[in-house]
Amino acid sequence: MIELTIDGRRVRVPEGTTIWDAARGAGIDIPTLCHDPRLSPVGVCRVCVVDVGAPALAASCVRPCEAGMEVETSSARVERRRGELVELLMSDQPPPESDARETSLGDNALLELARRYDAWGGSLPRQADRPADASSPVIAVDHQACILCDRCVRACDDVQSNEVIGRSGKGYAARIAFDLDAPMGDSTCVACGECAAVCPTGALVDKPLDSELRPRERLDPVDSVCPYCGVGCALTYHVDRARNRIVFAEGRDSPGNQKRLCVKGRYGWDYAQHPQRLTTPLIRRESAYPKGPLSKDVRGEHDGRRKPGGIVDYAEVLPAFREASWDEALELVARRLSGILREHGPDATAGFGSAKCSNEEAYLFQKMLRAGWGTNNVDHCTRLCHASSVAALREGIGSGAVTTTYGDVRNAEVALLAGTNTTANHPVAASFFKQARKRGTKLIVVDPRRAPIAEHADYYCRIKPGTDVAFYNAVMAVIIDAGLADSGYIERFTENYSELRETVARYTPETAARICGVDADTIRRIGLELGRAKSSIVYWGMGISQHVYGTNNARCLIALALLTGNVGKPGSGLHPLRGQNNVQGASDAGLIPMMYPDYQPVGDPEARAKFERAWGRPLNPEPGLTVVEITRGALEGRIKGMYVMGENPFLSDPDVNKVRKALATLDFLAVQDIFLTETAEFADVILPAGSYMEKLGTYTNTDRRVQIGRPALEPPGQARIDWRITAEISSRMGYPMHYDSPEQIFDEMAALTENYRTLRYANLGKTGKLWPNPDPERGDGSEILFEDGFPTPSGRARFVPAEWTAAPELPDEEFPLVLNTGRLLEHWHTGSMTRRAVALDRIEPEAFVGVHPGDAEALGLAEGQRVRVVSARGSVVLKARLTERECPGAVFMPFHFREAAANLLTLDELDPDGKIPEFKFCAVRLEPLREA
Amino acid sequence: MGAKSEPSAIVSELTLLQERDGWLSESGLRDLAARLRLPLHRLESVSTFYTHFRRSPPEERELAVCRDLPCALAGGEGALARLSEREPGLKLREVSCLGRCDRAPAAQLDDGGIELDLSRGESRPLAARTAGPWAAELYSDRAEHYSTLRSRLAGDPAACIRELEDAGLRGMGGAGFPTGRKWSLVAAEASEPRYLICNADESEPGTFKDRQILTDLPHLVIEGMALAARSVGARRGWVFIRHEYAPERRRLAAELERAYAAGALGRDIFGSGFDFDVDVFVSPGGYILGEETALLECMEGRRGEPRNKPPFPGSKGLWGQPTLINNVETFVHAAGILSRGAEWWRGLGRGEFAGHKFVSVSGDVERPQVVLVPMGTPLGELLDFWGGMRDGRAPSAVAPGGASSNFLGADGLDTPLDFEALREAGSMLGSGAAIFVAEGRDLTEVGLNVARFFRNESCGKCVPCRVGSHKAVALVEREGVNPRTRAKLEELDATLSETSICGLGQVALAPLLSLLRGAPE
């Protein structure tokens, strides 16, 4: 500690503390423009200068305190110099009445100083010849207003690691610049908005989305959580209550996202305000029977050309429905479903809940089906996502959740990113991975697609599609051969090691190299890196899980972590990056066919007895059907009635042609959603739900962080919050549900679980809490699990060896290419939200198929040319995008686009353990279209 | 920590790319970014900062013409006009000081190192012009070169530092920091490795003495560096030299080769077990790089923008490691003191003053050139001994320490050349560059020329310098000198001198104001 004097006050601070921080700690605010406590200081604006008794003043944001220093932070001399600095900056600023920030958000920090020092730049010659740049869909750039404070540069480089913004030129002519001085909209900018969030002037300002920007004082801040991915970024919506509009979103400080957001979180919330929101219950007209698809796209008559907005044409669909009262609609749902229960038994019904809904809603939904209807046929899109990972994790370590957080990457010597396009699908988590790499963590990226994260990797391995098991088995063989297996850990915490050793021994690097296409030396190097690292975390995504051998893929990753003793200590662990904002929570809440809340098996008599007591009904002991099995069941006539809450299986499930038939075959389908989805075209009743923005509830992110989402908007028209609709249906079907609040539901659920038991709305705080959490009043919860054994019967983790098997549908002469499907940064799943978000739609408006330039050349296919992609199950037409990110011999299609639905092509083969379909591997051919 | 031992590849890669293509094309930069795995903005930031790099294809023939004070005083503009008439195909580009104020107005044709002597209207290949003999030369025979190093290697490194402290040698690059103390600070640092840099980025108008030293005494520069390296425990060194000094670079390279061959550099120097390697780092251009932390930023492959200090390079320099940075001349004098002793050095000065000093004499003088004079020599004598003012005119003002030093009036000509004496007189010794201005010159124009130089060379990092240097010039250009603008300039000067990050901003307006203050209202 050193002692110094600031404005006459004695202050003691640790060595290395800057004067600015020391003053702040003493309650003295020193003005600044370039400094932001989240960014490393650069000391360029000089507004924070203070007098330290030297001839020159010292920039307090960069000057370390020295013992005995006497600092004056606001002497007449200091204030005079600050005033002159502001005068200098103001001399070239746009007039306040036309400044982009001041006229919209009213928080121009330079103008605040101009007012404070009454310095408006008038004493100096003005030069106003710097251009504006309106090319970005979300951010307006005004170089005239830029004061080169470097905040945006640091936000882009150091915080988000997107590395787009730099400076061009020198001296007075210097400007910020994107890439090689491209217009922002043409640059590699991914529109995360971090630059505009930190800009103190009108230089970088968000463009208004669907309503005018306004000063925050005139808006109501609502602390909530982002509705998109499993990263679960804490954010604040600034709401215009009078107009029932979100005006802008801002990242909120949390142990997770630390204020960061991505393009979806920052600019993708306006879907909730879209005019196509459902506002009235709808009942299918008699004339619209027999049921079938209503729009051309859903009939499969699409040509891949984009219609305005790329979304459902209501004019095509709405005539098939009539408006109804809630009473009539709910009565109809209850009557028809009760009829099916009576006639065909509980297992003739099924329900899809949603990982977009809250824990409370997931809990109520499965409770209604299990206790009210008597069936376990309840599932949700986790089946399409990490079901295989969860199966492998439960089998291997007794728990399906992550063993550590994404932020723990900072402590990892090595991080393995397996089959994850993180910058697109978990952008904020990716920002922490990239940042960790800059601080010394080695990144190993393994993926057939060279995703952007590969550019940050120390090692990038392009394995051939579907060869993960061979690759990882060989990596493990290398580790064992090199004597780098952690025998102490293996002995103490695991079982079945000899079986693993035997299996992987057959996968020499040379053998694996022939299968996976990565040369043996690289496999050896990767093995040695992982074997020697004192700590390593495996993060994985859909590239691992969405295969018929997804469980085997995950088994390998689990074995790899156990083999090196990398579970249960900082910087170590297993982390399947969860997709949906609440896929962890929905699974925790029992929205899966074989488990009650908190993974208590329905087949376990003890667990069943517990829930029968709690729910007051006898429960069905048979595990229910999974998503794709339910669809097959419908096709085969075994499933007759369905209730779908917030899912859109028509686009999200494999083999759309089969799904279309299945949905049309159902006797009764109730769809509850915020928009008229493709699935809703097959509905008998459509129930208008409240959106995420309109309700209170808890959501559990990929880290197991349980956070509260709060209502920012009023539901439009007669739309109702999901849990209220579910409770009403349940009551009308003879299983009364009376709840006053989500909190009451949460408490009921928590009391039935081990992991949520200690959590209450009151103790979740502003940034939520991790489960498990022994003391949520005081602690954030357990970041790292299994420090001392595993929740398995033996207390040990189990090595489950896996053999490599080829994909079920290999390319052949007719279908020579592999189709991989996935997501884009700007879009979410079936596009029902993001394609209705103005900015996101503008950035990625249309479907495409990604093709390696080498393959394209062989086909005579040019960039942007339309091409028919054909599989044994169907075909779509869309534009080609040539990129070396694609693996030679494989093409990639995002599945967001109804007009070129990727799932028309995929096959519905299932993983035997996780029951997850094969989304990442089917055989296709490309037929370039010769047309104008 | 991940200390790296090589300067960043960025600057040299950009240089190679430009040598290959003649300029830096977008596709060339994209390929380079992919190969070096760097974000594009990094190459944008670096390639647009340095004057050497072109982002557009070059003209057929381009003549770089210096616009700074000594060249302006030598009638650069008129000569240019004549030249454009004679050679209409020639594209003229105004540049900052080329370090050839002794042949003002200075110009340079293309990058190829052709020198054009405007005053004579002829061109010839650029060649190093020797001068001397110099009293600073320690050896009468080339065979004796590096013998000081040989003998000192046997002794205690700390003794070298004590010798320098006894001599009272101060840095000759401008700031005048006591050399012995600088070496002892680096020597006392615990962190390894330590680096050594010879700052040969002389770029201030009126300053060209290091060019002469590199031409005539390169062996003493290298010997001084090796002695310093031994004293502070550095094993790697660089000479950071401006790209315009191509002939001098060749001289230096030849001498480095000789030194290696003689065993004075490299592994196990003279069998002492001490290793020291020296490389040349060619500056991509810009006065600011003479500022030692800007120089470091450049070597690390970033924009040459000065760092906030502390920490100083002595504790955290290149790649965050302790780094000794001295000027070319400082190394020569250090070698002299370590050869002949502190006593010898002190005896070189006049009266109470110690040592001698290379001084660049330029401006309105008959024979602009580098001279070596005893410390304490009155400024006016610089004229008396070497031909006097051009056309016999009387001097009206002199900047004794280059463009960054305040001008003294004719009454200041008695001031002895000395750090303290010149400071007391209201100016500074700086790097030792006396620019004389003759009577009859428009002193506002002279001051404005200097202010424009600093404006042009401002790196743009900090607000006071970037905006203030620009606005000050614009103010005078637009409104002239009147009581309001005078007061405003004083206010700006105070702001720049007290809040700028580095010396450039701190002195940017001072020379102009020194002339205005001397003039009648």
Side-chain angles (χ1 to χ4, degrees):
Chain A
M1 297 293 273
I2 49 175
E3 193 169 287
L4 69 159
T5 310
I6 303 180
D7 293 345
R9 265 181 264 177
R10 287 209 167 292
V11 178
R12 277 169 62 80
V13 292
E15 203 163 334
T17 308
T18 63
I19 297 173
W20 196 86
D21 286 335
R24 202 178 199 205
I28 301 164
D29 270 332
I30 301 175
T32 177
L33 288 168
C34 69
H35 188 46
D36 178 318
R38 269 200 313 157
L39 308 170
S40 55
V42 289
V44 299
C45 77
R46 314 306 278 181
V47 169
C48 74
V49 286
V50 293
D51 193 337
V52 294
L57 301 175
S60 61
C61 72
V62 285
R63 185 62 176 270
C65 292
E66 289 162 30
M69 215 176 213
E70 296 198 6
V71 180
E72 289 213 54
T73 70
S74 57
S75 65
R77 174 181 168 217
V78 165
E79 290 291 319
R80 186 164 175 184
R81 298 298 168 248
R82 284 183 191 149
E84 191 62 20
L85 289 168
V86 173
E87 178 74 7
L88 281 167
L89 287 173
M90 284 302 297
S91 63
D92 287 340
Q93 283 289 300
E97 58 276 14
S98 63
D99 176 80
R101 185 170 293 275
E102 195 61 9
T103 54
S104 58
L105 298 165
D107 60 358
N108 183 315
L110 175 56
L111 285 172
E112 196 182 314
L113 289 178
R115 286 187 285 272
R116 174 164 163 180
Y117 293 104
D118 194 23
W120 302 92
S123 69
L124 295 162
R126 176 178 166 74
Q127 188 170 325
D129 53 3
R130 288 163 192 251
D133 171 1
S135 61
S136 160
V138 289
I139 295 166
V141 188
D142 181 0
H143 290 288
Q144 189 65 35
C146 176
I147 58 170
L148 287 166
C149 69
D150 206 57
R151 282 202 204 191
C152 58
V153 174
R154 285 170 284 159
C156 190
D157 261 15
D158 303 344
V159 176
Q160 290 273 359
S161 296
N162 288 326
E163 301 175 338
V164 179
I165 312 180
R167 276 165 295 159
S168 182
K170 177 179 172 183
Y172 183 74
R175 283 188 289 112
I176 58 163
F178 308 94
D179 293 345
L180 295 174
D181 203 15
M184 190 183 202
D186 298 344
S187 74
T188 55
C189 169
V190 293
C192 73
E194 200 72 45
C195 56
V198 297
C199 179
T201 71
L204 293 160
V205 183
D206 287 348
K207 288 181 172 176
L209 293 180
D210 70 338
S211 56
E212 242 176 85
L213 294 174
R214 275 149 200 258
R216 61 186 69 222
E217 309 85 73
R218 282 188 254 158
L219 303 170
D220 194 6
V222 178
D223 287 349
S224 193
V225 185
C226 176
Y228 284 106
C229 82
V231 177
C233 295
L235 50 61
T236 300
Y237 291 118
H238 293 271
V239 180
D240 182 341
R241 289 288 185 199
R243 296 166 60 236
N244 194 32
R245 276 277 192 277
I246 293 173
V247 174
F248 66 97
E250 195 169 40
R252 195 152 58 78
D253 206 6
S254 137
N257 62 308
Q258 297 175 15
K259 281 189 167 179
R260 303 174 194 181
L261 294 176
C262 76
V263 63
K264 291 189 288 284
R266 202 183 300 276
Y267 302 116
W269 35 261
D270 54 320
Y271 69 87
Q273 300 159 187
H274 194 274
Q276 281 193 334
R277 277 292 297 277
L278 294 171
T279 57
T280 317
L282 300 170
I283 292 176
R284 198 175 196 97
R285 291 183 194 275
E286 287 303 324
S287 55
Y289 289 90
K291 286 193 289 184
L294 301 168
S295 64
K296 266 169 53 182
D297 278 351
V298 174
R299 282 201 296 271
E301 295 161 12
H302 37 46
D303 62 357
R305 290 204 194 269
R306 185 170 178 271
K307 288 159 201 66
I311 45 181
V312 180
D313 180 356
Y314 275 25
E316 268 187 307
V317 179
L318 272 183
F321 294 90
R322 66 175 172 84
E323 294 190 349
S325 70
W326 269 107
D327 194 51
E328 184 189 4
L330 289 170
E331 202 48 46
L332 181 59
V333 172
R335 183 163 54 77
R336 293 292 308 276
L337 287 171
S338 298
I340 292 169
L341 287 175
R342 259 196 321 277
E343 268 180 57
H344 303 284
D347 285 340
T349 61
F352 289 166
S354 172
K356 277 262 158 287
C357 291
S358 65
N359 287 323
E360 295 78 0
E361 287 163 343
Y363 173 80
L364 273 203
F365 191 91
Q366 59 88 37
K367 182 182 175 188
M368 174 177 79
L369 265 81
R370 293 194 155 114
W373 301 4
T375 181
N376 285 315
N377 290 341
V378 55
D379 207 357
H380 73 291
C381 61
T382 187
R383 197 60 47 205
L384 311 174
C385 157
H386 266 305
S388 48
S389 308
V390 171
L393 284 166
R394 291 191 54 80
E395 164 195 79
I397 64 170
S399 162
V402 299
T403 74
T404 191
T405 61
Y406 59 83
D408 193 26
V409 70
R410 69 189 180 280
N411 300 313
E413 223 171 79
V414 175
L416 168 62
L417 306 181
T420 166
N421 182 6
T422 350
T423 55
N425 298 325
H426 304 88
V428 171
S431 74
F432 287 94
F433 300 161
K434 293 184 277 187
Q435 197 172 38
R437 199 233 161 198
K438 289 183 188 165
R439 294 173 185 172
T441 299
K442 279 192 180 146
L443 290 190
I444 299 171
V445 172
V446 182
D447 201 316
R449 295 186 74 212
R450 194 168 56 80
I453 192 73
E455 264 114 72
H456 299 264
D458 294 276
Y459 298 91
Y460 165 61
C461 298
R462 170 168 268 167
I463 56 170
K464 288 183 193 160
T467 61
D468 304 70
V469 169
F471 176 82
Y472 294 110
N473 275 349
V475 166
M476 286 190 275
V478 170
I479 293 170
I480 293 169
D481 278 356
L484 295 170
D486 186 340
S487 52
Y489 184 91
I490 293 168
E491 198 166 308
R492 188 155 166 230
F493 291 118
T494 71
E495 58 195 20
N496 215 32
Y497 175 57
S498 54
E499 281 78 354
L500 179 88
R501 204 176 44 203
E502 262 172 47
T503 301
V504 302
R506 290 195 300 276
Y507 292 82
T508 64
E510 282 71 19
T511 308
R514 280 193 293 277
I515 300 171
C516 72
V518 176
D519 65 89
D521 281 348
T522 303
I523 295 175
R524 279 198 188 87
R525 276 209 298 280
I526 302 286
L528 295 179
E529 283 288 355
L530 285 164
R532 285 177 187 148
K534 287 190 206 66
S535 56
S536 64
I537 308 185
V538 187
Y539 295 97
W540 74 90
M542 305 293 93
I544 290 294
S545 63
Q546 287 183 331
H547 287 292
V548 294
Y549 32 74
T551 306
N552 274 345
N553 290 345
R555 281 171 179 141
C556 290
L557 298 178
I558 295 161
L560 178 59
L562 295 171
L563 179 66
T564 52
N566 275 311
V567 178
K569 59 183 186 187
S572 296
L574 293 160
H575 191 128
L577 287 152
R578 307 311 301 258
Q580 291 273 13
N581 60 330
N582 200 38
V583 68
Q584 181 66 52
S587 305
D588 294 344
L591 201 63
I592 39 181
M594 56 297 272
M595 309 281 182
Y596 298 124
D598 208 17
Y599 309 96
Q600 302 171 70
V602 298
D604 173 8
E606 221 172 286
R608 194 162 61 249
K610 170 182 169 182
F611 282 94
E612 285 178 341
R613 266 196 311 280
W615 294 341
R617 288 284 176 98
L619 298 176
N620 187 334
E622 288 302 313
L625 299 176
T626 60
V627 165
V628 180
E629 290 169 332
I630 288 170
T631 311
R632 287 183 189 162
L635 199 57
E636 292 158 9
R638 285 184 285 122
I639 300 289
K640 302 198 176 292
M642 274 192 79
Y643 173 30
V644 175
M645 172 177 80
E647 289 232 326
N648 190 11
F650 181 83
L651 283 183
S652 65
D653 290 14
D655 197 351
V656 165
N657 285 324
K658 214 181 250 185
V659 178
R660 185 189 301 115
K661 275 185 223 147
L663 290 173
T665 309
L666 286 171
D667 283 358
F668 181 78
L669 171 64
V671 172
Q672 175 173 317
D673 214 309
I674 63 172
F675 295 111
L676 208 160
T677 61
E678 289 73 13
T679 304
E681 291 188 24
F682 301 87
D684 298 272
V685 179
I686 301 173
L687 303 171
S691 76
Y692 177 91
M693 309 296 171
E694 290 143 21
K695 63 194 178 191
L696 178 68
T698 59
Y699 301 84
T700 306
N701 80 351
T702 188
D703 282 348
R704 300 174 260 106
R705 182 174 297 282
V706 184
Q707 306 183 88
I708 299 178
R710 291 185 180 77
L713 301 172
E714 291 295 322
Q718 299 177 45
R720 285 188 189 177
I721 303 308
D722 288 289
W723 69 264
R724 289 190 184 277
I725 305 174
T726 304
E728 183 69 25
I729 292 173
S730 187
S731 299
R732 285 175 190 246
M733 290 178 71
Y735 184 62
M737 283 187 176
H738 299 293
Y739 297 96
D740 296 327
S741 67
E743 194 170 347
Q744 203 186 350
I745 305 170
F746 184 85
D747 289 348
E748 176 183 316
M749 177 184 90
L752 290 166
T753 72
E754 195 50 42
N755 284 318
Y756 283 70
R757 196 173 39 82
T758 57
L759 302 178
R760 297 286 176 274
Y761 269 48
N763 64 30
L764 289 177
K766 283 179 88 71
T767 57
K769 292 284 153 67
L770 298 172
W771 72 249
N773 195 324
D775 183 6
E777 300 299 332
R778 273 178 288 274
D780 192 44
S782 307
E783 183 177 19
I784 295 154
L785 300 185
F786 315 133
E787 288 158 301
D788 202 21
F790 294 89
T792 55
S794 63
R796 287 166 175 272
R798 183 175 180 79
F799 284 105
V800 183
E803 297 285 357
W804 176 75
T805 50
E809 184 181 88
L810 292 171
D812 55 20
E813 266 179 32
E814 192 182 359
F815 301 108
L817 295 165
V818 176
L819 172 69
N820 185 356
T821 68
R823 294 185 275 150
L824 302 176
L825 167 64
E826 293 80 4
H827 283 298
W828 193 259
H829 286 197
T830 66
S832 60
M833 295 155 73
T834 50
R835 300 196 80 192
R836 290 179 175 91
V838 173
L840 304 178
D841 176 58
R842 203 172 296 159
I843 299 172
E844 274 298 1
E846 60 185 345
F848 66 87
V849 56
V851 185
H852 190 275
D855 292 331
E857 202 185 340
L859 287 161
L861 181 64
E863 170 71 29
Q865 188 179 344
R866 279 154 55 79
V867 58
R868 176 172 286 116
V869 185
V870 189
S871 80
R873 291 153 295 281
S875 75
V876 296
V877 172
L878 69 182
K879 277 188 181 169
R881 195 179 278 185
L882 309 192
T883 158
E884 287 178 356
R885 294 206 183 287
E886 305 309 344
C887 182
V891 299
F892 172 80
M893 276 176 63
F895 70 93
H896 313 295
F897 299 94
R898 69 194 306 267
E899 66 273 28
N903 281 320
L904 273 164
L905 309 172
T906 51
L907 80 167
D908 71 345
E909 294 269 337
L910 297 187
D911 174 278
D913 303 294
K915 309 285 184 190
I916 192 169
E918 177 62 74
F919 283 121
K920 299 283 189 194
F921 200 122
C922 73
V924 295
R925 71 167 174 269
L926 260 51
E927 298 171 358
L929 302 185
R930 317 277 169 211
E931 55 178 22
Chain B
M1 287 300 292
K4 306 189 184 158
S5 56
E6 290 300 320
S8 158
I10 297 181
V11 168
S12 52
E13 290 279 358
L14 288 171
T15 305
L16 285 173
L17 184 61
Q18 180 158 302
E19 277 172 15
R20 191 193 74 185
D21 297 349
W23 63 297
L24 301 174
S25 67
E26 169 140 354
S27 63
L29 289 172
R30 282 184 184 280
D31 291 348
L32 183 60
R35 185 156 59 78
L36 299 181
R37 298 187 66 185
L38 289 169
L40 293 170
H41 79 70
R42 189 77 192 278
L43 297 186
E44 172 72 21
S45 293
V46 174
S47 67
T48 59
F49 184 86
Y50 296 107
T51 50
H52 183 54
F53 297 128
R54 302 169 188 281
R55 287 290 296 275
S56 52
E59 301 286 333
E60 274 296 292
R61 293 181 76 217
E62 189 178 79
L63 184 70
V65 184
C66 174
R67 64 193 151 199
D68 291 320
L69 187 58
C71 292
L73 293 174
E77 274 181 56
L80 276 180
R82 286 195 299 279
L83 192 74
S84 329
E85 270 173 37
R86 216 169 51 209
E87 285 201 59
L90 201 60
K91 156 116 174 154
L92 298 180
R93 184 165 65 104
E94 288 198 342
V95 296
S96 290
C97 181
L98 291 165
R100 285 197 287 279
C101 322
D102 50 348
R103 279 173 281 178
Q108 180 173 311
L109 191 58
D110 303 332
D111 279 349
I114 301 293
E115 183 185 35
L116 221 113
D117 190 332
L118 283 183
S119 51
R120 294 194 183 79
E122 51 185 57
S123 68
R124 59 179 168 273
L126 209 57
R129 194 157 67 174
T130 56
W134 301 104
E137 175 59 273
L138 302 174
Y139 309 112
S140 50
D141 188 329
R142 279 164 65 90
E144 293 169 19
H145 285 186
Y146 303 108
S147 55
T148 307
L149 174 64
R150 187 188 294 270
S151 63
R152 282 286 178 176
L153 281 172
D156 176 12
C160 292
I161 296 177
R162 278 197 303 276
E163 193 80 53
L164 292 182
E165 283 174 338
D166 285 351
L169 177 65
R170 294 174 66 168
M172 297 292 165
F177 192 83
T179 306
R181 183 149 26 115
K182 202 177 212 180
W183 290 22
S184 68
L185 286 173
V186 179
E189 287 289 329
S191 186
E192 292 279 356
R194 294 169 222 176
Y195 300 123
L196 182 147
I197 295 166
C198 170
N199 186 344
D201 198 53
E202 178 178 69
S203 302
E204 184 163 313
T207 311
F208 45 97
K209 49 121 185 145
D210 290 340
R211 182 169 58 82
Q212 199 66 59
I213 295 169
L214 289 166
T215 303
D216 298 335
L217 303 168
H219 57 289
L220 294 184
V221 179
I222 294 167
E223 187 165 27
M225 288 176 72
L227 286 162
R230 156 84 165 153
S231 304
V232 303
R235 276 165 183 74
R236 293 229 41 197
W238 288 269
V239 180
F240 186 96
I241 188 168
R242 55 184 314 196
H243 68 89
E244 294 93 337
Y245 280 8
E248 293 75 15
R249 207 161 72 225
R250 288 192 288 271
R251 296 273 309 197
L252 183 66
E255 184 57 34
L256 281 172
E257 210 170 299
R258 240 191 102 224
Y260 270 101
L265 288 177
R267 288 186 58 81
D268 191 19
I269 295 174
F270 295 137
S272 65
F274 175 64
D275 307 332
F276 181 57
D277 284 296
V278 175
D279 286 302
V280 175
F281 189 100
V282 180
S283 161
Y287 168 65
I288 191 61
L289 302 182
E291 202 281 344
E292 55 187 15
T293 58
L295 179 157
L296 294 173
E297 289 289 296
C298 174
M299 287 183 69
E300 292 184 17
R302 286 188 292 274
R303 293 160 68 85
E305 297 177 348
R307 299 173 181 172
N308 282 290
K309 294 170 284 291
F312 291 92
S315 53
K316 284 193 178 1
L318 189 65
W319 303 115
Q321 296 302 113
T323 304
L324 177 72
I325 307 175
N326 276 137
N327 170 258
V328 171
E329 182 184 357
T330 311
F331 284 119
V332 170
H333 294 326
I337 291 164
L338 296 179
S339 169
R340 302 194 174 162
E343 201 62 31
W344 166 79
W345 175 257
R346 284 200 300 270
L348 289 173
R350 274 208 206 173
E352 79 254 41
F353 302 104
H356 53 194
K357 173 93 191 75
F358 285 93
V359 178
S360 322
V361 181
S362 70
D364 287 332
V365 295
E366 197 56 49
R367 285 169 49 205
Q369 62 182 298
V370 177
V371 299
L372 178 63
V373 296
M375 281 292 215
T377 304
L379 277 177
E381 280 189 26
L382 294 174
L383 289 172
D384 297 346
F385 282 90
W386 285 280
M389 296 292 286
R390 189 157 36 213
D391 305 331
R393 284 197 282 175
S396 70
V398 57
S404 61
S405 62
N406 283 352
F407 285 86
L408 300 175
D411 53 348
L413 291 174
D414 295 339
T415 317
L417 267 179
D418 172 66
F419 288 101
E420 295 311 316
L422 282 165
R423 194 177 57 77
E424 279 162 26
S427 184
M428 61 178 181
L429 178 59
S431 59
I435 309 173
F436 288 90
V437 179
E439 231 170 34
R441 294 282 185 187
D442 177 346
L443 291 184
T444 303
E445 205 40 60
V446 167
L448 206 49
N449 180 292
V450 174
R452 282 194 195 106
F453 169 75
F454 289 114
R455 175 201 64 186
N456 296 339
E457 294 303 318
S458 169
C459 74
K461 179 175 181 177
C462 72
V463 167
C465 178
R466 180 182 78 238
V467 187
S469 66
H470 180 87
K471 294 296 173 189
V473 170
L475 188 71
V476 179
E477 284 176 345
R478 216 171 284 190
E479 297 183 32
V481 177
N482 59 44
R484 188 191 92 78
T485 55
R486 280 282 297 270
K488 191 71 211 176
L489 286 173
E490 293 284 358
E491 186 71 28
L492 287 173
D493 176 49
T495 304
L496 265 67
S497 65
E498 290 177 26
T499 69
S500 293
I501 290 179
C502 81
L504 191 157
Q506 286 163 7
V507 304
L509 303 183
L512 167 63
L513 275 162
S514 72
L515 287 169
L516 296 182
R517 284 188 201 117
E521 284 281 336

